[in-house]
Amino acid sequence: MSDLRITEAFLYMDYLCFRALCCKGPPPARPEYDLVCIGLTGSGKTSLLSKLCSESPENVVSTTGFSIKAVPFQNAILNVKELGGADNIRKYWSRYYQGSQGVIFVLDSASSEDDLEAARNELHSALQHPQLCTLPFLILANHQDKPAARSVQEIKKYFELEPLARGKRWILQPCSLDDMDALKDSFSQLINLLEEKDHDAVRM
């Protein structure tokens, strides 16, 4: 091979390397989803979201009105609107549902019977609300590290999820602040449901 051909070959290889390094552009943006997070006061909504955002638990203050956090994951960013769970605030939850693409419902699996009944009523209302009934739900049975915690099967039966949520997209998962891997896996499953809903919308 002549020196000219060798030079041309090297120049072409340099060109390919330049294109690979400089012309591929920025990585694709992660999709963002707007979610609403609801649950009674004391269920642990704020603590779970703060832990996912790597915030110090010492600075966690229970939400009295609403707050918004951008929770980053490898394949998506979840813009979570957390609503306070006090008695006098829950009646206003529906005012903040508009624009939501998914729902996170947090319950205290170790709560009293009265609080568990209140949580069941609120979840039933959310599952049947016109602005939420077609959305994916992530239901977190929190405080599984407490001795009085009820199992996921007990929660599913008590909340009557099988008949009530039939035909809907929902996930019921146990969680606690001590098991972040399980919590992140629960959110990954929710992101999968959100992506499926996006794909279904495109096909329509």
Side-chain angles (χ1 to χ4, degrees):
M1 182 182 291
S2 68
D3 290 344
L4 179 60
R5 289 289 181 87
I6 294 174
T7 301
E8 288 176 346
F10 275 113
L11 286 174
Y12 183 67
M13 289 177 65
D14 287 344
Y15 167 72
L16 292 179
C17 289
F18 172 79
R19 287 203 59 176
L21 293 173
C22 301
C23 298
K24 64 180 181 180
R30 285 177 288 180
E32 296 191 24
Y33 298 101
D34 296 327
L35 309 179
V36 63
C37 178
I38 53 180
L40 271 59
T41 295
S43 60
K45 304 184 300 295
T46 307
S47 297
L48 291 175
L49 294 174
S50 297
K51 194 73 179 286
L52 286 169
C53 292
S54 302
E55 297 176 0
S56 171
E58 298 174 0
N59 301 325
V60 171
V61 178
S62 183
T63 301
T64 54
F66 76 93
S67 67
I68 299 176
K69 289 184 183 295
V71 185
F73 290 89
Q74 187 174 3
N75 56 339
I77 297 174
L78 304 182
N79 298 312
V80 182
K81 184 191 302 175
E82 180 201 345
L83 307 183
D87 291 347
N88 61 333
I89 294 176
R90 296 202 298 269
K91 59 185 176 182
Y92 300 113
W93 278 357
S94 60
R95 297 185 180 184
Y96 299 91
Y97 289 165
Q98 188 172 2
S100 299
Q101 296 169 278
V103 183
I104 304 163
F105 189 95
V106 183
L107 62 96
D108 179 2
S109 60
S111 68
S112 67
E113 291 294 332
D114 288 345
D115 282 348
L116 201 66
E117 176 71 18
R120 181 175 72 168
N121 292 338
E122 294 295 350
L123 179 57
H124 284 200
S125 295
L127 283 166
Q128 298 175 80
H129 193 278
Q131 290 179 300
L132 304 182
C133 63
T134 62
L135 304 182
F137 271 71
L138 171 59
I139 305 164
L140 295 173
N142 196 17
H143 298 152
Q144 287 290 312
D145 53 327
K146 294 184 177 180
R150 298 163 181 84
S151 69
V152 166
Q153 289 303 320
E154 289 175 310
I155 294 291
K156 183 187 293 185
K157 182 178 180 180
Y158 182 80
F159 277 64
E160 301 174 309
L161 284 174
E162 291 290 358
L164 181 69
R166 186 177 291 117
K168 302 180 187 293
R169 297 176 178 178
W170 59 277
I171 306 162
L172 171 62
Q173 290 286 92
C175 74
S176 72
L177 287 176
D178 294 337
D179 193 349
M180 288 307 295
D181 288 339
L183 182 62
K184 290 178 179 178
D185 180 66
S186 299
F187 274 83
S188 294
Q189 293 182 53
L190 175 61
I191 291 170
N192 289 339
L193 290 183
L194 292 166
E195 290 174 341
E196 288 175 9
K197 188 171 177 62
D198 270 356
H199 295 154
D200 289 348
V202 169
R203 283 196 291 268
M204 291 174 65

